[in-house]
């Protein structure tokens, strides 16, 4: 088995082999992502959308994330594990932010927390770092800012907004973040930030110049019927395969061909008991 990727190992990949990060929310997503060789697992607050059925991440609580992060932590073996801090768990005070970050790391075994926003988050980032918890930043289309942004829109198109994002990126690095997710950012701006900062940038809808890429598990494999954002490339249609398999089982039950006449636990063990 390959060695586990550590925080220093992650940082050392700046400008080197591209980093691959995928969201994971439970045992099955963790096992599949690691078997495929991803470098980093992100227990993203996107679980609000793809697992819990909300239409934004604002409803996700610390308990929601903890529930899923514990499952990922139990199964992950070698990938770096990063856990999202939900909205309002790092906005009130540095003390409150440290307490919440510590709970995420202590309860799940994660290597780092990720939080959204630029210079206004510096006191929280510094406090969390001073508690020896690595922090990943997240700039651009930050989904927890959906209300002030007025929707999920590419950020940094205007030159003033682009310059502000560059300043935010430098400030985050100065505060000691281990890397920065750039989401929904014009490709040339992501390229500029990537070339100017000394930590890895991980892009999502931000062009090809970042030091790595992240996608939401359910988008990559099409687990839900909603159209994903334009930049997503879907590598499988798991929803269709699942529906097809379940439909065949439904038919077998209805026509009496499943189970085989005398099949019981003793003759065929279900996967859940192995
Ligand atoms: O919550 C999430 O899945 C994320 C990624 C989209 C970067 O933050």
């Amino acid at each position: 088995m390959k060695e586990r990727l550590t925080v220093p190992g992650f940082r050392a990949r700046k400008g080197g082999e591209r980093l691959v990060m995928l969201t994971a929310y439970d045992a099955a997503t963790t096992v599949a992502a690691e078997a495929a060789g991803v470098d980093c697992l992100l227990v993203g607050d996107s679980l609000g959308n793809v697992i819990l059925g909300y239409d934004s991440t604002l409803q996700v609580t610390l308990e929601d994330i903890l529930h899923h992060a514990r499952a990922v932590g139990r199964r992950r073996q070698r990938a770096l594990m990063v856990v999202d801090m939900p909205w309002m768990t790092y906005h009130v005070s540095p003390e409150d932010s440290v307490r919440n970050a510590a709970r995420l790391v202590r309860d799940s075994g994660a290597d780092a927390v990720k939080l959204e926003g630029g210079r206004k988050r510096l006191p929280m980032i510094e406090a969390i770092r001073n508690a020896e918890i690595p922090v990943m930043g997240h700039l651009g289309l930050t989904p927890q800012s959906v209300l002030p942004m007025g929707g999920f829109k590419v950020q940094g198109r205007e030159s003033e907004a682009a310059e502000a994002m560059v300043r935010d990126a430098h400030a985050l690095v100065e505060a000691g973040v281990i890397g920065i997710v750039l989401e929904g950012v014009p490709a040339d701006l992501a390229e500029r930030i990537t070339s100017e900062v000394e930590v890895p940038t991980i892009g999502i809808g931000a062009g090809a110049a970042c030091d790595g890429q992240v996608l939401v598990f359910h988008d990559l494999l099409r687990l839900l019927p909603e159209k994903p954002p334009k930049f997503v490339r879907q590598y499988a249609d798991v929803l269709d395969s699942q529906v097809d398999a379940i439909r065949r089982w439904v038919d077998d039950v209805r026509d009496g061909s499943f189970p085989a006449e005398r099949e019981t636990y003793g003759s065929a063990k279900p996967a859940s008991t192995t």
Side-chain angles (χ1 to χ4, degrees):
M1 192 178 69
K2 266 169 80 178
E3 267 178 34
R4 180 174 284 187
L5 183 63
T6 60
V7 166
F10 172 86
R11 287 207 45 173
R13 294 271 289 274
K14 172 73 187 177
E17 190 187 9
R18 290 249 170 92
L19 286 154
V20 185
M21 178 182 247
L22 185 62
T23 63
Y25 312 106
D26 55 19
T29 51
T30 302
V31 167
E34 286 213 317
V38 308
D39 299 302
C40 314
L41 301 171
L42 171 65
V43 186
D45 63 352
S46 51
L47 68 83
N49 304 86
V50 299
I51 303 283
L52 301 178
Y54 297 130
D55 59 6
S56 85
T57 55
L58 300 184
Q59 291 92 337
V60 175
T61 65
L62 192 70
E63 297 307 321
D64 290 332
I65 286 270
L66 271 171
H67 181 72
H68 291 272
R70 287 191 202 103
V72 172
R74 284 182 205 116
R75 289 307 288 258
R76 78 91 180 227
Q77 297 192 328
R78 36 144 297 277
L80 186 89
M81 179 179 165
V82 181
V83 179
D84 259 345
M85 296 194 71
W87 182 58
M88 290 310 289
T89 65
Y90 58 97
H91 301 71
V92 176
S93 70
E95 293 75 18
D96 191 47
S97 308
V98 172
R99 224 171 281 121
N100 291 330
R103 252 199 100 194
L104 289 171
V105 167
R106 180 180 283 148
D107 285 20
S108 71
D111 300 296
V113 295
K114 175 167 83 59
L115 55 82
E116 298 180 4
R119 281 160 286 175
K120 53 187 164 186
R121 304 285 172 247
L122 294 185
M124 322 312 192
I125 294 173
E126 278 158 9
I128 297 169
R129 275 208 61 230
N130 284 337
E132 315 303 342
I133 299 173
V135 181
M136 184 173 286
H138 185 159
L139 295 174
L141 191 176
T142 46
Q144 292 174 15
S145 313
V146 60
L147 299 179
M149 285 187 313
F152 300 103
K153 298 174 185 158
V154 170
Q155 301 293 302
R157 282 201 208 274
E158 310 299 328
S159 69
E160 211 175 299
E163 290 306 320
M165 204 184 300
V166 172
R167 285 198 294 278
D168 278 340
H170 283 291
L172 291 184
V173 174
E174 192 116 319
V177 296
I178 62 166
I180 303 174
V181 169
L182 295 175
E183 177 168 1
V185 171
D188 53 351
L189 176 58
E191 185 170 4
R192 177 175 164 199
I193 292 173
T194 300
S195 71
E196 288 189 16
V197 300
E198 66 199 24
V199 299
T201 58
I202 308 290
I204 173 164
C210 293
D211 298 297
Q213 293 290 322
V214 56
L215 278 184
V216 170
F217 190 96
H218 291 53
D219 289 344
L220 175 72
L221 297 175
R222 189 174 181 266
L223 276 146
L224 289 168
E226 289 81 20
K227 229 174 149 36
K230 266 202 244 128
F231 62 84
V232 170
R233 192 178 297 167
Q234 295 192 306
Y235 285 80
D237 191 335
V238 175
L239 177 61
D240 271 8
S241 320
Q242 283 183 337
V243 172
D244 177 60
I246 296 167
R247 189 173 285 134
R248 284 187 287 114
W249 174 68
V250 167
D251 290 346
D252 285 354
V253 171
R254 293 215 172 110
D255 72 14
S257 58
F258 177 89
E261 215 174 307
R262 303 191 65 77
E263 219 157 54
T264 66
Y265 257 38
S267 56
K269 262 189 175 180
S272 57
T273 65
T274 54

